[in-house]
């Protein structure tokens, strides 16, 4: 069988709902390792028509129908065309019994070989690794998480250009999509521009050079269109870059992998803490030198990641473990000596905030106080004693500490495990 086409019909309340079911159908196929080479969705007057080009058997078509029926949809049926070397067969399956088959007899034609289309042949990609079927499958699984969390409540026209970039690395289409979206929303011309955060969050790059080339591509766009952007937007544009740096420390399962995220972090921030750090974007005379101010956020991310890895119970997941590059250890200890922020307070009239809980849990763990124990007899748990002892020795022996950290350490020593939430 070659180049079969399956059309699924179902009634749906809205285009957004139809998009959701369409995505679910595609992901169901990919989860079964079915080779999907083209797909599209049409929606009109509550009738959705999903057309899939995929190697299918009738049993799988029935499974897709049952998937739609379980979602409470009505008027569900399918049309499946088998194009077998010029011989076309037709199969219709209805949702009432899933057993109504109608088949057209094959037409008498000379059989000519046809070449199966593939996903990689249909889509132009920016990097060779994106043609790997294993990469494509893993990428699709990650996209399911991103769509559900970030885009599920938005119409597809708002994020389809991001989806294309996520799977192809086409920065040009990403930029064009943002401009079209800004025009559709009727924003003032001087406020329409792409965002660097979309590259940080959705880049399919596999190497630092690939990622930096995408950043430079977008930077070149801003240089070319500098005169068309309102003056008051530049602070927002550059802060959009700076705000992405802390998130590189703990980005499980989204965008590029953790090892590349580490490389990007140290490329921008250097190998050690520098309170006067500037981040460079672009090259040559047009490069931007952006002052970095988000050190407290970096310190909080580091304490959260090290704390979760070291002091989470043995049953809890290790989603933060892969960030533990040894260079982060130096960063954490150095920053404890210099950053003196809200996370160190011992008394807050409005109540403790999430970052303060994270800070206290980390410091209590360093002091071998188990704030997560379920009984008084449960012993202190640490996943990596060597790392724990290294951190403990370096923090205890800090030559100087900011007043906020010093006061908090004394507060926790006094209250022990009760200091975790005491205000």
């Amino acid at each position: 069988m070659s180049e079969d086409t399956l059309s699924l019909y179902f009634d749906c309340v809205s285009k957004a709902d139809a998009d959701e079911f369409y995505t679910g159908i595609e992901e169901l196929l990919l989860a079964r390792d079915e080779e999907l080479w083209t797909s599209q969705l049409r929606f009109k007057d509550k009738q959705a028509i999903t057309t899939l080009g995929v190697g299918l058997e009738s049993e799988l078509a029935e499974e897709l129908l049952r998937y739609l029926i379980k979602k409470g949809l009505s008027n569900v049926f399918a049309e499946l065309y088998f194009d077998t070397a010029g011989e076309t067969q037709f199969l219709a399956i209805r949702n009432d019994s899933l057993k109504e088959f109608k088949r057209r007899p094959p037409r008498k034609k000379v059989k000519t070989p046809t070449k199966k289309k593939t996903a990689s042949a249909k889509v132009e990609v920016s990097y060779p690794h994106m043609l790997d079927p294993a990469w494509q499958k893993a990428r699709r699984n990650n996209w399911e998480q991103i769509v559900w969390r970030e885009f599920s409540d938005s119409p597809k026209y708002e994020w389809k250009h991001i989806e294309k970039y996520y799977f192809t690395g086409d920065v040009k289409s990403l930029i064009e999509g943002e401009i079209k979206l800004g025009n559709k929303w009727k924003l003032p011309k001087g406020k329409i521009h792409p965002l660097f955060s979309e590259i940080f969050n959705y880049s399919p790059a596999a190497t630092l050079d690939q990622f930096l080339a995408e950043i430079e591509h977008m930077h070149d766009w801003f240089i070319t269109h500098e005169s068309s952007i309102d003056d008051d937007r530049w602070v927002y544009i550059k802060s959009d870059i700076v705000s992405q740096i802390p998130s590189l420390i703990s980005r499980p399962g989204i965008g590029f992998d953790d090892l590349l995220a580490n490389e990007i972090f140290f490329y921008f921030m250097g190998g050690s803490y520098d309170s006067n750090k500037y981040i460079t974007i672009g090259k040559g005379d047009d490069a931007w030198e952006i002052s970095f101010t988000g050190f407290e956020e970096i310190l909080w991310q580091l304490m959260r990641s090290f704390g979760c890895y070291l002091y989470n119970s043995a049953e809890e997941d290790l989603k933060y473990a892969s960030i533990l590059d040894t260079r982060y250890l130096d960063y954490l200890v150095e920053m404890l000596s210099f950053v003196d922020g809200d996370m160190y307070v011992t008394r807050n009239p409005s109540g403790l905030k999430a970052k303060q809980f994270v800070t206290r849990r980390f410091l209590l763990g360093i002091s071998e106080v188990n704030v997560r124990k379920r009984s008084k007899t449960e012993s202190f748990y640490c996943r990596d004693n060597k790392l724990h002892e290294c951190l403990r020795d370096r923090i205890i022996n800090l030559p100087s500490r900011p007043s906020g950290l010093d006061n908090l350490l004394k507060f926790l020593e006094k209250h022990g495990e009760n200091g975790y939430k005491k205000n």
Side-chain angles (χ1 to χ4, degrees), residues 360-361 363-365 367-373 408-422:
R360 293 185 182 193
R361 183 191 170 202
L363 294 174
L364 284 167
S367 302
E368 299 187 357
V369 175
N370 188 358
V371 300
R372 302 288 290 274
K373 66 182 182 181
L408 180 57
L409 287 170
K410 292 177 182 177
F411 177 86
L412 295 175
E413 182 180 357
K414 176 182 178 181
H415 294 284
E417 64 186 55
N418 294 323
Y420 178 47
K421 297 181 179 180
K422 192 174 182 62

Side-chain angles (χ1 to χ4, degrees), residues 35-36 118-139 166-169 204-206 210:
E35 187 180 14
L36 183 70
T118 64
S120 60
K122 295 284 290 184
V123 180
E124 293 184 6
V125 296
S126 299
Y127 313 119
H129 70 268
M130 302 171 71
L131 298 175
D132 180 3
W135 182 91
Q136 293 174 357
K137 183 177 180 181
R139 195 73 173 166
Y166 189 80
F167 289 99
T168 67
Q210 290 173 351

Side-chain angles (χ1 to χ4, degrees), residues 252-271:
I254 297 177
F256 38 77
D257 64 30
D258 294 329
L259 295 179
L260 178 55
N262 294 342
E263 278 195 75
I264 296 169
F265 178 91
F266 291 108
Y267 171 83
F268 284 118
M269 299 302 297

Side-chain angles (χ1 to χ4, degrees), residues 143-366:
W143 178 253
E144 179 180 359
Q145 300 175 29
I146 293 171
V147 170
W148 184 252
R149 182 169 58 254
E150 298 188 26
F151 300 135
S152 59
D153 294 330
S154 303
K156 191 169 184 177
Y157 72 81
E158 292 185 3
W159 49 265
K160 63 181 180 181
H161 59 289
I162 295 177
E163 181 181 30
K164 180 180 179 181
Y165 167 66
Y166 189 80
F167 289 99
T168 67
D170 187 347
V171 182
K172 181 180 178 182
S173 69
L174 175 69
I175 294 172
E176 291 173 348
E178 284 296 293
I179 304 307
K180 290 178 181 177
L181 186 58
N183 288 326
K184 186 176 181 65
W185 285 342
K186 298 182 179 180
L187 297 178
K189 294 297 182 183
K191 300 187 186 303
I192 297 177
H193 56 79
L195 294 171
F196 283 90
S197 55
E198 289 171 346
I199 292 180
F200 278 89
N201 289 325
Y202 307 116
S203 171
T207 68
L208 178 62
D209 287 342
Q210 290 173 351
F211 177 83
L212 294 178
E214 294 178 3
I215 291 290
E216 289 168 16
H217 187 145
M218 185 167 284
H219 174 259
D220 289 344
W221 183 91
F222 278 98
I223 296 302
T224 303
H225 296 82
E226 184 173 4
S227 61
S228 65
I229 298 175
D230 289 349
D231 291 341
D232 62 356
R233 294 299 290 178
W234 289 103
V235 172
Y236 174 80
I237 291 164
K238 294 178 180 181
S239 66
D240 179 52
I241 300 171
V242 170
S243 66
Q244 304 308 310
I245 303 299
S247 66
L248 292 166
I249 296 169
S250 55
R251 44 180 308 113
I254 297 177
F256 38 77
D257 64 30
D258 294 329
L259 295 179
L260 178 55
N262 294 342
E263 278 195 75
I264 296 169
F265 178 91
F266 291 108
Y267 171 83
F268 284 118
M269 299 302 297
S272 61
Y273 170 69
D274 178 3
S275 61
N276 297 314
K277 183 66 184 177
Y278 281 80
I279 292 173
T280 302
I281 299 294
K283 294 180 179 179
D285 295 338
D286 292 324
W288 297 341
E289 295 291 333
I290 307 170
S291 177
F292 186 81
T293 58
F295 293 107
E296 184 176 311
E297 184 72 19
I298 286 180
L299 178 56
W300 174 71
Q301 290 279 9
L302 288 173
M303 286 194 290
R304 183 178 71 156
S305 297
F306 277 91
C308 288
Y309 171 66
L310 286 171
Y311 310 124
N312 272 4
S313 67
E315 296 78 19
E316 292 180 272
D317 66 74
L318 289 174
K319 69 178 182 179
Y320 297 108
S322 59
I323 67 95
L324 296 179
D325 188 300
T326 54
R327 292 172 291 180
Y328 282 125
L329 178 62
D330 294 331
Y331 244 94
L332 172 58
V333 175
E334 290 171 5
M335 294 182 74
L336 281 170
S337 295
F338 293 99
V339 175
D340 193 0
D342 291 339
M343 63 181 73
Y344 293 150
V345 301
T346 58
R347 188 170 183 80
N348 190 334
S350 62
L352 295 178
K353 298 178 174 62
K355 292 181 182 180
Q356 295 160 357
F357 281 119
V358 168
T359 302
R360 293 185 182 193
R361 183 191 170 202
F362 172 76
L363 294 174
L364 284 167
I366 292 297

Side-chain angles (χ1 to χ4, degrees), residues 63-92:
E63 181 178 338
L64 293 176
L65 283 172
R66 290 191 176 95
Y67 166 81
L68 294 171
I69 293 168
K70 287 179 181 178
K71 297 294 184 179
L73 302 174
S74 59
N75 290 327
V76 180
F77 67 98
E79 294 177 349
L80 177 60
Y81 291 87
F82 301 130
D83 183 5
T84 310
E87 295 187 1
T88 301
Q89 301 178 15
F90 169 73
L91 173 66

Side-chain angles (χ1 to χ4, degrees), residues 42-61:
R42 288 176 290 159
F43 182 81
K44 185 177 180 181
D45 298 331
K46 295 187 179 182
Q47 177 74 63
I49 306 174
T50 302
T51 303
L52 306 169
V54 63
L56 282 169
E57 299 293 343
S58 61
E59 291 80 5
L60 182 53

